[in-house]
Amino acid sequence: MVTNAASFGRSGVHDFILIRASAVILASYAIFLVAFIALSSPLTFEVWRGLFASLPMKMYTLVALVALLIHAWIGVWQVLTDYVKNIALRGVLQFAFVVVALSYLAAGLIIVWGV
């Protein structure tokens, strides 16, 4: 069996499960934030900062950020392998996406843990 080093999962089924699991995490995070905004009557900076200062919210945010990066990587990989047939160009685009994604992860870590 040949495995592709650019794929995040071990197989198509594994990628399918990762996509669905990350989508559930992202949906729950978005629903939580919308509910928090809707139920916080005076939504001030102090309330917002207090939410993100708690350890459970920091962890939930980081899990959501990693889920977003996994979801995006699998999606980008699938689109690039389907539509970019030039292997060199596909490699450059995948490398650029990985650099941007790791930059977003680093920025997310700094922002979340800086509160």
Side-chain angles (χ1 to χ4, degrees), residues 36-107:
F36 181 81
I37 291 169
L39 298 175
S40 295
S41 174
L43 186 59
T44 62
F45 176 74
E46 289 78 23
V47 172
W48 192 251
R49 184 177 175 138
L51 171 67
F52 282 93
S54 68
L55 183 61
M57 189 60 190
K58 287 181 181 185
M59 296 303 294
Y60 193 26
T61 301
L62 290 179
V63 168
L65 179 61
V66 170
L68 177 66
L69 294 177
I70 290 171
H71 196 91
W73 170 249
I74 294 172
V76 166
W77 178 80
Q78 288 177 345
V79 168
L80 290 177
T81 54
D82 285 346
Y83 295 110
V84 179
K85 298 303 178 189
N86 186 331
I87 295 173
L89 177 60
R90 186 183 334 147
V92 168
L93 291 173
Q94 285 178 342
F95 178 76
F97 179 80
V98 167
V99 169
V100 169
L102 290 177
S103 300
Y104 288 163
L105 179 62

Side-chain angles (χ1 to χ4, degrees), residues 16-39:
F16 179 83
I17 292 170
L18 284 173
I19 281 278
R20 296 315 182 262
S22 63
V24 168
I25 292 168
L26 292 171
S28 71
Y29 188 77
I31 290 168
F32 172 78
L33 285 180
V34 168
F36 181 81
I37 291 169
L39 298 175

